[in-house]
Amino acid sequence: MSSVSFFFFFFGVFHSDNLMEYEGLMALTNILSMGNQTGPKERFVTLRGIPAVEYCQFSSHPQVRTAATECFVNVVYHINFIKYMLHNNGERFKLWISFAECFNELDEDGKPASYKNARAAMGGLAMMAEIPQLAMVMCEHGCVESMISIMTNSDQDELHMRAAVCLRAMCSVDDNATKTFENDDEQEITVDGDELSKKGGRKQDG
């Protein structure tokens, strides 16, 4: 999988431009999403792909940030990525949570600027929350409160679903998360017309 290392030369650390970074990240994402094949992911980690993609998450261009986040979603379950997220008491979760919270951010023309990145970040957080060690650290960094806020203030079903999955996973491993969710008195949330209960599932008729 020499093609994995090839795409690193498109990234900013090699003085590339936004378009090349974006195209390189999209191509790399396609390679890493190849079914159950572990080869590309191992190659990606071995060649220090994690810090290279992290660099792109701090790009000033929203499409590059989104592509970097989407790329990471494909390696969430790799042990090296899990260790990367746990490093330094999980400080990197602050970035992912901040991405998720920017779902309604607009650019200077009044158009959505960060929605796709927020969606990708929430998808990644929902996957990471399924790993107990990560879920507990996410709770410590305010992810529960963030997901509740997004469910309350967003009108997008796809964000509601990601937030609900994330909350369900966190509440299953951390008592404080469950207490925070159950004590929240915000308005009821609906997904596809069904009302969510405070337990994170859909309320049953009758």
Side-chain angles (χ1 to χ4, degrees), residues 168-195:
R168 181 180 61 188
M170 287 188 290
C171 291
S172 69
V173 297
D174 189 275
D175 289 340
N176 290 329
T178 304
K179 291 176 183 177
T180 301
F181 189 37
E182 290 180 344
N183 291 336
D184 182 74
D185 292 324
E186 298 290 352
Q187 65 189 54
E188 297 289 351
I189 306 299
T190 59
V191 176
D192 293 335
D194 293 334
E195 192 173 76

Side-chain angles (χ1 to χ4, degrees), residues 59-79:
S59 170
S60 60
H61 198 285
Q63 286 183 298
V64 174
R65 293 197 300 270
T66 299
T69 303
E70 290 176 342
C71 184
F72 267 154
V73 169
N74 289 282
V75 293
V76 161
Y77 297 129
H78 193 286
I79 186 61

Side-chain angles (χ1 to χ4, degrees), residues 4-194:
V4 172
S5 59
F6 170 75
F7 291 115
F8 293 165
F9 288 95
F10 290 120
F11 300 163
V13 286
F14 298 103
H15 309 291
S16 183
D17 59 26
N18 289 328
L19 179 59
M20 293 180 68
E21 287 176 341
Y22 175 75
E23 294 292 347
L25 286 164
M26 291 300 293
L28 184 58
T29 296
N30 289 335
I31 292 175
L32 295 175
S33 65
M34 292 170 60
N36 295 322
Q37 295 189 33
T38 58
K41 295 180 176 64
E42 289 296 335
R43 182 75 170 164
F44 171 79
V45 170
T46 301
L47 294 172
R48 294 182 56 79
I50 291 177
V53 173
E54 180 186 46
Y55 180 95
C56 295
Q57 280 192 303
F58 291 92
S59 170
S60 60
H61 198 285
Q63 286 183 298
V64 174
R65 293 197 300 270
T66 299
T69 303
E70 290 176 342
C71 184
F72 267 154
V73 169
N74 289 282
V75 293
V76 161
Y77 297 129
H78 193 286
I79 186 61
N80 287 55
F81 184 82
I82 294 172
K83 291 178 178 179
Y84 157 82
M85 292 301 297
L86 288 174
H87 180 69
N88 197 23
N89 296 317
E91 283 293 305
R92 291 186 175 92
F93 278 113
K94 292 181 179 179
L95 177 66
W96 284 73
I97 293 171
S98 69
F99 281 165
E101 292 175 336
C102 289
F103 66 90
N104 59 356
E105 186 178 89
L106 303 178
D107 61 20
E108 57 187 15
D109 297 320
K111 297 180 180 179
S114 303
Y115 180 81
K116 290 182 178 180
N117 193 29
R119 181 178 60 191
M122 290 184 68
L125 288 169
M127 294 170 66
M128 285 186 263
E130 295 178 351
I131 303 169
Q133 296 89 334
L134 294 183
M136 289 186 285
V137 177
M138 290 166 65
C139 293
E140 294 172 2
H141 286 286
C143 193
V144 173
E145 293 83 355
S146 177
M147 292 300 107
I148 292 174
S149 175
I150 292 170
M151 291 179 74
T152 303
N153 296 299
S154 169
D155 60 358
Q156 297 296 315
D157 287 348
E158 59 182 351
L159 298 188
H160 292 171
M161 290 300 295
R162 285 167 171 79
V165 170
C166 196
L167 284 167
R168 181 180 61 188
M170 287 188 290
C171 291
S172 69
V173 297
D174 189 275
D175 289 340
N176 290 329
T178 304
K179 291 176 183 177
T180 301
F181 189 37
E182 290 180 344
N183 291 336
D184 182 74
D185 292 324
E186 298 290 352
Q187 65 189 54
E188 297 289 351
I189 306 299
T190 59
V191 176
D192 293 335
D194 293 334

